[in-house]
Amino acid sequence: MTSQSATLARLSKLSRLISVDSPSPLLKHVPTTVALLLAIVISLASPSLGVSQPPAFVLCIAIGVASVALAVWFTHRGTDSRMVTIVPLAALLAIAFLRVGTGGTSSLFSALIILPVIWIASEEGRRWIFVAGLGTAVAVMMPFIVIGELPSEGPEWVRGFVSPLVFTAVAAIINEISRQNRVQLKSIRALAEDLESSLADSVGQATQLRRSADELQKANELTNSVLDAVTEQAIIGTDLTGTITVWNPGAASMLGRTAQEMIGHASILELHREDELENRSRELNYPPGATVLNPGFSALVESARLGVGEIRDWTYRRSDGSEFPVEVAVTPRVNSVGTTRGYIFVATDITQSVEVSRFKDEFIGLVSHELRTPLSSILGYLELMRDDSDSPLADEQKLYLGVAERNAQRLLGLVGDLLFTAQTSAGGFPLKVDDISPGDVISAAVDSARPIAETAGVHVEMEGLPSALMIRGDKSRLGQAIDNLVSNAIKFTPRGGSVCVGLAERDDDGRVEITVRDTGLGIPAAELDQLFTRFFRATTATANAVPGVGLGLVITKSIVQAHGGELDVSSVEGEGTVFTLRLPQDAARL
């Protein structure tokens, strides 16, 4: 950087020097002044050359001094006016009178004429050639002009014409050389300015590059410090093909493999179970005929590639072959222009959480199972009391008995839901698979919900129920799922609203699509991700005192997934909600 600055300084100095179009008038007049002074001294000191015409000699000295004074004045003013050519013209006149005063036409100082001629001819413009020629003619013919006579001899006439012509030719040559020098000078100056500007830009870019490099180094140091500080999570980075490029100490501790072993040598797929990757690939439902070069890696990053954040549970494999559950968040790794260069996987060991959840499910299952028997007994005895003809109940007693029976039935339904969720968490539940008509299942669910809907003032309708459409599934479980969606839609729709249940067959993949659309309260966008979590209730439900315990959607999603389908939701708060249930037509997963 020091050498660049020094070079820039030298170029700047050179630019200032060559930016002056010509030397100062005084500097240009120095050769003529010195030559004229020497001629005067020689004339005064040498008797053989003596002064033949003292008045002309004195006039020569006076004009010479005046020319020097003019040169000093023009230099001091710093003007570049063409008036400065008065100085060489005055010098030319002084030389002319010097010739008159030192022998006239035979003067030995005629050669001095060339000095002011050079100055005049070097000025910009062709006209100065003629000015130099005319001035030369005057200087040569001055002896005859002073005495008022014409040349009497032939050589004098020849000298009077030839000498000016020769000086004019010399002036033309000098003028052309000066013109070319000015052109070259301008080119050199422009080049020097360009070089100076380019070097200044280069220095600026180098400074910015060094600053950027320093910032990048600091950012890398900060990133490495953060990665090294995270020891409870495994942070793993890959390129676009799945090759590992980042491996933090948390990954080394969790998986028992060092960064040297993994970075640049191993694939992220080595940490996963093949069956989980295959199942995820099937869930992605690539379009028919689509070519997926790396289906295993695509199963991991497809959502992140599409710009959708995803947190998913996987099973990782340690270096010793043991396996454990992890929760993995996947995000794309982009460069400064937004191009994806790879992916970041942040994995958290959830072994303890899974164990706690398993114990909780076992406890719920145990408690629910133990509650079912006494509840069934209570309902049985309540029914006996109500139907006992030997000891009929009073109307008030029947009212109380009805309240107790309804609450017992409600409690029994809740116990059933708890048992069902415990079954799904424990690894599934049995399905009675058969050929069923989804239209019939929907009609039955809507017919069952109509009394409740009419009481709530909600209009329920169906659309697009092709009777010929058949699928493979458990009619009872699918009916339960649709019942849950329809009852939820009615509960969340204010009086005067509507609920529409639709059925269609998709053309792209042949799946059956069931939609339940309402014009109800809607669900806040920030809560959609938690909607299928057990016991979760949206703020719109709690704020409007909508009854429920937060298990219906969990059960519905489990039933849909057990049939190899998907359940999606979209909602706008205050406008309504749409649940979309997609099922394959061929076979359910048992």
Side-chain angles (χ1 to χ4, degrees):
M1 191 61 65
T2 303
S3 61
Q4 289 178 342
S5 300
T7 304
L8 182 61
R10 288 196 294 270
L11 279 176
S12 178
K13 183 178 180 180
L14 175 62
S15 176
R16 289 195 298 271
L17 288 175
I18 65 175
S19 65
V20 181
D21 291 336
S22 61
S24 66
L26 182 60
L27 183 62
K28 293 170 70 173
H29 195 48
V30 167
T32 304
T33 302
V34 172
L36 192 60
L37 181 61
L38 289 176
I40 292 172
V41 172
I42 291 172
S43 298
L44 294 175
S46 175
S48 60
L49 298 176
V51 178
S52 59
Q53 294 290 336
F57 190 79
V58 172
L59 189 57
C60 162
I61 295 174
I63 296 173
V65 171
S67 68
V68 173
L70 285 172
V72 172
W73 185 77
F74 279 120
T75 300
H76 178 71
R77 288 288 302 274
T79 180
D80 59 353
S81 171
R82 294 306 176 189
M83 293 295 294
V84 76
T85 52
I86 295 175
V87 176
L89 290 174
L92 192 60
L93 185 61
I95 294 172
F97 281 107
L98 175 64
R99 294 181 67 248
V100 173
T102 57
T105 58
S106 61
S107 174
L108 298 177
F109 303 113
S110 299
L112 298 182
I113 294 174
I114 191 63
L115 296 176
V117 167
I118 292 174
W119 182 343
I120 296 171
S122 64
E123 293 295 319
E124 186 174 1
R126 298 296 186 184
R127 63 184 181 276
W128 297 107
I129 298 174
F130 301 102
V131 172
L134 181 61
T136 300
V138 171
V140 170
M141 300 300 293
M142 184 61 74
F144 298 102
I145 295 173
V146 171
I147 62 177
E149 296 180 359
L150 295 174
S152 58
E153 299 179 358
E156 293 178 347
W157 280 104
V158 172
R159 187 181 299 110
F161 283 100
V162 173
S163 294
L165 289 177
V166 171
F167 280 112
T168 300
V170 172
I173 295 171
I174 293 173
N175 186 270
E176 177 61 21
I177 293 174
S178 297
R179 185 189 68 79
Q180 294 181 4
N181 286 339
R182 278 191 292 271
V183 171
Q184 292 177 356
L185 185 63
K186 290 180 180 179
S187 300
I188 293 173
R189 181 173 59 187
L191 179 61
E193 290 175 352
D194 290 343
L195 288 175
E196 181 179 4
S197 177
S198 299
L199 187 56
D201 291 342
S202 298
V203 171
Q205 292 175 0
T207 303
Q208 182 63 35
L209 184 61
R210 184 178 61 181
R211 187 180 298 113
S212 299
D214 292 341
E215 292 176 355
L216 181 60
Q217 183 178 359
K218 292 178 181 178
N220 286 336
E221 291 175 354
L222 177 60
T223 301
N224 292 332
S225 298
V226 172
L227 291 176
D228 292 342
V230 178
T231 57
E232 296 300 320
Q233 283 79 31
I235 300 179
I236 305 170
T238 70
D239 59 14
L240 294 175
T241 65
T243 301
I244 293 173
T245 57
V246 176
W247 188 265
N248 79 322
S253 174
M254 184 182 297
L255 295 159
R257 309 184 188 193
T258 65
Q260 290 76 12
E261 294 178 71
M262 305 302 290
I263 294 178
H265 305 294
S267 170
I268 187 72
L269 300 180
E270 297 178 18
L271 308 177
H272 286 265
R273 288 173 48 174
E274 292 75 8
D275 58 332
E276 291 185 343
L277 295 175
E278 292 174 0
N279 291 337
R280 175 56 177 162
S281 295
R282 285 195 294 268
E283 291 177 9
L284 292 174
N285 293 320
Y286 295 110
T291 301
V292 182
L293 298 179
N294 193 345
F297 187 62
S298 296
L300 293 175
V301 303
E302 185 66 15
S303 296
R305 185 185 69 82
L306 297 176
V308 179
E310 182 182 51
I311 299 178
R312 192 178 182 87
D313 291 348
W314 296 93
T315 301
Y316 269 5
R317 185 180 294 117
R318 297 187 181 91
S319 58
D320 58 4
S322 60
E323 298 178 346
F324 63 101
V326 289
E327 183 183 71
V328 181
V330 186
T331 55
R333 180 164 54 91
V334 298
N335 58 15
S336 58
V337 296
T339 303
T340 300
R341 308 299 300 172
Y343 297 91
I344 295 294
F345 300 80
V346 180
T348 304
D349 187 345
I350 57 172
T351 301
Q352 186 175 2
S353 300
V354 170
E355 286 296 314
V356 170
S357 178
R358 185 177 63 83
F359 289 142
K360 182 174 63 176
D361 291 337
E362 290 178 356
F363 175 74
I364 291 175
L366 178 62
V367 171
S368 300
H369 184 271
E370 293 300 321
L371 286 175
R372 179 184 288 272
T373 300
L375 279 173
S376 299
S377 178
I378 291 173
L379 284 170
Y381 279 104
L382 289 175
E383 185 176 358
L384 289 175
M385 290 176 64
R386 184 185 59 197
D387 298 336
D388 188 0
S389 57
D390 296 334
S391 302
L393 299 176
D395 291 340
E396 186 176 3
Q397 291 174 324
K398 289 181 179 179
L399 177 63
Y400 295 155
L401 189 63
V403 172
E405 188 173 15
R406 284 196 302 273
N407 281 281
Q409 289 287 359
R410 182 181 177 187
L411 186 57
L412 186 62
L414 177 58
V415 170
D417 289 344
L418 289 172
L419 277 174
F420 187 87
T421 57
Q423 286 177 334
T424 59
S425 299
F429 49 89
L431 293 177
K432 296 179 180 180
V433 180
D434 200 354
D435 292 329
I436 61 173
S437 169
D440 292 344
V441 175
I442 292 174
S443 297
V446 171
D447 289 341
S448 298
R450 283 193 192 279
I452 301 176
E454 291 174 357
T455 303
V458 176
H459 175 67
V460 180
E461 61 181 351
M462 296 177 288
E463 61 180 14
L465 301 183
S467 58
L469 186 60
M470 302 294 290
I471 64 172
R472 296 278 294 170
D474 187 323
K475 184 176 182 179
S476 174
R477 290 301 187 189
L478 286 178
Q480 181 183 4
I482 297 174
D483 283 340
N484 285 340
L485 294 179
V486 173
S487 62
N488 266 0
I490 295 172
K491 285 193 298 184
F492 282 89
T493 301
R495 181 174 295 274
S498 65
V499 174
C500 180
V501 185
L503 173 65
E505 183 178 6
R506 292 178 21 151
D507 295 330
D508 55 352
D509 57 6
R511 289 193 164 202
V512 172
E513 190 169 87
I514 301 172
T515 57
V516 179
R517 180 182 294 105
D518 66 60
T519 59
L521 302 174
I523 303 166
E527 298 178 1
L528 288 176
D529 291 341
Q530 307 174 61
L531 203 58
F532 300 104
T533 304
R534 283 184 298 177
F535 306 112
F536 174 78
R537 306 200 66 217
T539 54
T540 49
T542 55
N544 291 274
V546 178
V549 293
L551 290 176
L553 290 178
V554 178
I555 293 172
T556 301
K557 186 170 185 179
S558 298
I559 293 173
V560 172
Q561 289 178 339
H563 283 77
E566 299 174 349
L567 180 61
D568 294 331
V569 59
S570 62
S571 182
V572 177
E573 190 172 1
E575 296 183 12
T577 303
V578 179
F579 283 92
T580 303
L581 190 156
R582 300 183 184 91
L583 295 171
Q585 295 188 40
D586 48 9
R589 291 185 302 161
L590 300 179

